[in-house]
Amino acid sequence: MKFTALKGFDQEAFNKYLKNTGWLMFGKLLSLIVNLLIARYLGPILFGDLSFGLSLVAIMAAVGALGLDTFIIREIIQEPNKRDEILGTSLWLRLITNALLIPIVIGIYLFSHHLTPNPSEQPLTLLIGLLALASFFKSFNVIDSYFQSQVQSKYVVHVQNTSLIVTAIFKIIVISLGLPLIYIVLAYVLDGLILASGLIIIYQKRGLHIFDWNFDKQRAKDLLKKSTPLILAAVMVSIYMKIDVIMLKSVGSKAVGIYSSAQNLSEAWYFIPVAIVTSVFPALLNARKTDLNRYLKRLGNLYDLMVLISLPIAIFISFFASDIIHIIYKGKFDGAGPMLSIHIWSGVFVFLGAASSQYLIAEGYTRIAFYRTGLGAIINILLNLWLIPKYAGLGASVATLIACIASTFFLLFVSKTRNQGILMLKSLFLVNLFKKILKIEQS
């Protein structure tokens, strides 16, 4: 019974992504613990400043990724002999874009800060500039995409964990010495630098050479043409996941800090669907080529798995949210409990959305991916405009939940994708699980 939802995947594939998830879990758990220590150390106001900067840069990073990750995987699988051209072109596109985005994001912040100045709050120009620099190093994540295409994500996970351990030690030293916020921000720059260097090193150690990469103008045009809807979709995802923090800044850094303390705990689980769908995506593509029924069955099983993981988490945390906040943050962020009890339910729909996004990519429905995330972003912004002035972080939590539901189940309202929407609904209401339980009882 325990692994019924995984029946559609072969044991070898399951073992691979289970192992990858285990390594990722170690890294994410370490990161979560350190971030909780940082929040407790900084307190609501300074933690609010850090969270605001990270959220603003996260939207920039969505642009800088250029929506290329999945396309790099697909292109390499389809044209393995063009590997160096695909990776080289993708890297240069990202380097140029991310370099241009650093002054742009600083300019956006300065403009918005000038429009809504708060004399009691210090400008965050240096903080945002350094976080944008840290994001620049993510350009080298094209190497991660290569290893995913070869189902060799374990190498990347090892690099990620090494980087996390080094920066975790650095952050703990900063906290122990009582150093100011800017040193914690420098840890993010260090993390980006170590990760980029590590990716290059493991690529070279596999007998491959980054200096063999080349830029092709026509390939660049083709990649950008294909990925443009995904760029916009990724920006929309970032907006409806992060815009609440940015809009809360109008209430004050303290409000941002309290809300972010709940948001961080709620989103701590989001690496799980990413790890799973990343590992099974090549298997889904292969099944689509060879056996359509098996492909559809695998998608249904994937949705079931997403719900079976996320639903118990949401139920447990929603009941004990206030106690969890009080214990973890030692009373510094009391008031975040009700926000967490609402926000945690967004995860159920994020899990389903992550799984269905792989279906949209496999089918080439990039416009639909854009439309559904655009809908989520618009709903979130409108609800935040209405709810944040009245209820601050509690209103932002409600807005995020409604936006996630609308975005995920937008597929129900498009004829091409309605069947997938129905599959997700069945998974959400545990229809398949109950069928399997009844079948076992009858047998």
Side-chain angles (χ1 to χ4, degrees), residues 26 38 91 108-109 146 261 291 325 386 394 400 431 433:
F26 165 76
I38 288 171
L91 177 63
I108 290 171
Y109 165 71
Y146 165 73
S261 68
D291 189 340
I325 290 288
W386 174 40
L394 201 62
T400 297
V431 172
L433 180 64

Coordinates of all heavy atoms in Angstrom, one line a residue, residues 26 38 91 108-109 146 261 291 325 386 394 400 431 433:
F26 N 18.4 16.5 2.7 CA 19.5 16.9 3.6 C 19.9 18.3 3.5 O 20.0 19.1 4.4 CB 20.8 16.0 3.4 CG 22.0 16.5 4.0 CD1 22.2 16.4 5.4 CD2 23.0 17.1 3.2 CE1 23.4 16.9 6.0 CE2 24.1 17.7 3.8 CZ 24.3 17.6 5.2
I38 N 18.9 32.4 11.4 CA 19.0 33.8 10.9 C 17.8 34.7 11.3 O 18.0 35.8 11.7 CB 19.2 33.8 9.4 CG1 20.6 33.2 9.0 CG2 19.1 35.2 8.8 CD1 20.9 33.0 7.6
L91 N 24.3 29.4 -22.0 CA 25.1 30.1 -21.0 C 25.3 31.5 -21.4 O 25.1 32.4 -20.5 CB 26.5 29.4 -20.9 CG 27.5 30.1 -19.9 CD1 26.9 30.1 -18.5 CD2 28.8 29.4 -19.9
I108 N 14.9 49.7 -10.2 CA 13.5 49.5 -9.9 C 13.3 49.8 -8.4 O 12.3 50.4 -7.9 CB 13.0 48.1 -10.2 CG1 13.0 48.0 -11.8 CG2 11.7 47.8 -9.6 CD1 12.7 46.6 -12.3
Y109 N 14.2 49.3 -7.5 CA 14.1 49.5 -6.1 C 14.2 50.9 -5.7 O 13.4 51.5 -5.0 CB 15.2 48.7 -5.3 CG 15.3 49.1 -3.9 CD1 14.3 48.9 -3.0 CD2 16.4 49.9 -3.5 CE1 14.3 49.3 -1.7 CE2 16.4 50.4 -2.2 CZ 15.4 50.1 -1.3 OH 15.5 50.6 0.0
Y146 N 22.2 19.9 -18.0 CA 22.8 18.8 -18.8 C 22.8 17.5 -18.0 O 22.5 16.5 -18.5 CB 24.3 19.2 -19.1 CG 25.1 18.0 -19.5 CD1 24.9 17.4 -20.8 CD2 26.0 17.3 -18.7 CE1 25.6 16.3 -21.2 CE2 26.7 16.2 -19.0 CZ 26.5 15.7 -20.3 OH 27.1 14.5 -20.7
S261 N 8.4 34.8 8.1 CA 8.7 33.7 9.0 C 7.7 32.5 8.8 O 8.1 31.3 8.9 CB 8.6 34.2 10.4 OG 7.3 34.5 10.8
D291 N 4.6 4.8 -25.6 CA 3.4 4.2 -25.1 C 2.5 5.2 -24.4 O 2.7 5.6 -23.3 CB 3.7 3.1 -24.0 CG 2.5 2.2 -23.6 OD1 1.3 2.7 -23.8 OD2 2.7 1.1 -23.1
I325 N 5.3 28.0 15.3 CA 5.9 29.3 15.2 C 6.5 29.8 16.6 O 7.7 30.2 16.6 CB 4.9 30.4 14.8 CG1 4.5 30.1 13.3 CG2 5.4 31.8 15.0 CD1 5.5 30.5 12.3
W386 N -6.3 44.5 -2.2 CA -7.5 44.6 -1.3 C -7.3 44.1 0.1 O -7.7 44.8 1.1 CB -8.6 43.7 -2.0 CG -9.9 43.6 -1.2 CD1 -10.5 44.6 -0.5 CD2 -10.7 42.4 -1.0 NE1 -11.6 44.1 0.1 CE2 -11.8 42.8 -0.2 CE3 -10.6 41.1 -1.5 CZ2 -12.8 41.9 0.2 CZ3 -11.6 40.2 -1.1 CH2 -12.7 40.6 -0.3
L394 N -2.0 38.3 7.1 CA -3.0 37.3 7.0 C -3.7 37.4 5.7 O -4.1 36.4 5.0 CB -4.1 37.6 8.1 CG -5.0 36.4 8.5 CD1 -4.2 35.2 9.0 CD2 -6.0 36.9 9.6
T400 N -2.4 34.4 -1.6 CA -1.5 33.4 -2.1 C -2.3 32.0 -2.3 O -2.1 31.4 -3.4 CB -0.3 33.2 -1.2 OG1 0.4 34.4 -1.2 CG2 0.6 32.1 -1.8
V431 N -9.6 10.0 -4.9 CA -10.5 9.0 -5.6 C -9.8 7.7 -5.9 O -10.3 6.6 -5.6 CB -11.1 9.7 -6.9 CG1 -11.9 8.6 -7.7 CG2 -12.0 10.8 -6.5
L433 N -7.0 6.6 -4.6 CA -6.6 5.9 -3.4 C -7.8 5.0 -2.9 O -7.6 3.9 -2.5 CB -6.1 6.9 -2.4 CG -5.6 6.3 -1.1 CD1 -4.4 5.4 -1.3 CD2 -5.3 7.4 -0.1

